Amino acid sequence: DTEVTQTPKHLVMGMTNKKSLKCEQHMGHRAMYWYKQKAKKPPELMFVYSYEKLSINESVPSRFSPECPNSSLLNLHLHALQPEDSALYLCASSAAEGRYNEQFFGPGTRLTVL
Amino acid sequence: SQQGEEDPQALSIQEGENATMNCSYKTSINNLQWYRQNSGRGLVHLILIRSNEREKHSGRLRVTLDTSKKSSSLLITASRAADTASYFCATEEDSSYKLIFGSGTRLLVRP
């Protein structure tokens, strides 16, 4: 199985809502990533988990809260988001954090904040 | 943070023609990777070239890397309509192993 799955595909939420994005991989990868992508822009790294521990936080606002319950799952908890947080949220995984690792991406969750 | 620029920003060619995209970057890197993204979907890894390599081939793809100029190019030969997508270069930083994506090239292959 060489697939990264993400749920939901689409999410519309109000600024006072709490929601979660989910990501799953069964490739035995030990590094997982969250990216944010605005329209016609490149993906921007948000968080990196390596061996289930948070390795990199790219100064992301605290209204985004990542969680890695186990080596196959990655969640992104959302709370009190702003309309400018509307974007495509991409999850990715790689064999490990480190050199020469290609990343496998999920299809993304398209988030709209009203 | 964005590592560098890609050019052209957009490219429209006829099926069967070759497409060339260029990528420039700023810092010391371990490797450079190219990814394809179909409209609003996830990215697909195409090819990885290490910093000590100069050229690499994979099927209809040819990638070159010039570390002295901090630039790379992706050539797609004999393009097909199915190659229509956005193409991003991504550099793996020497210091942090983070992947930093370039601005992307939107390729349209007309049937």
Side-chain angles (χ1 to χ4, degrees), chain A:
Chain A
D1 185 356
T2 58
E3 197 179 36
V4 175
T5 58
Q6 288 187 246
T7 55
K9 285 189 170 56
H10 300 275
L11 179 62
V12 179
M13 60 186 290
M15 289 190 284
T16 58
N17 291 157
K18 284 185 184 181
K19 296 285 184 184
S20 297
L21 309 185
K22 295 186 186 302
C23 173
E24 192 166 3
Q25 56 87 15
H26 295 288
M27 294 178 277
H29 287 173
R30 303 314 300 267
M32 296 185 78
Y33 311 80
W34 280 115
Y35 288 87
K36 174 183 177 180
Q37 186 179 26
K38 301 284 267 185
K40 297 188 178 179
K41 296 290 186 183
E44 292 185 354
L45 183 64
M46 299 174 72
F47 303 104
V48 180
Y49 271 82
S50 180
Y51 291 87
E52 298 155 52
K53 289 190 179 353
L54 184 64
S55 171
I56 294 175
N57 176 343
E58 290 287 272
S59 303
V60 179
S62 60
R63 57 186 185 270
F64 295 91
S65 174
E67 179 197 19
C68 190
N70 60 56
S71 60
S72 300
L73 290 173
L74 186 65
N75 297 322
L76 186 62
H77 302 298
L78 314 173
H79 174 52
L81 294 193
Q82 304 296 310
E84 59 264 29
D85 296 321
S86 298
L88 182 68
Y89 288 84
L90 294 162
C91 173
S93 69
S94 65
E97 186 186 17
R99 293 186 180 191
Y100 313 127
N101 281 299
E102 68 173 277
Q103 293 186 17
F104 291 76
F105 282 81
T109 293
R110 187 161 299 283
L111 174 67
T112 302
V113 182
L114 301 176

Side-chain angles (χ1 to χ4, degrees), chain B residues 4 9 13 15 26 29 46 49-50 89-90 103:
Chain B
Q9 286 188 336
I13 59 173
E15 203 165 28
K26 298 172 186 168
I29 63 171
L46 295 176
I49 185 166
R50 298 186 176 202
C89 67
S103 52

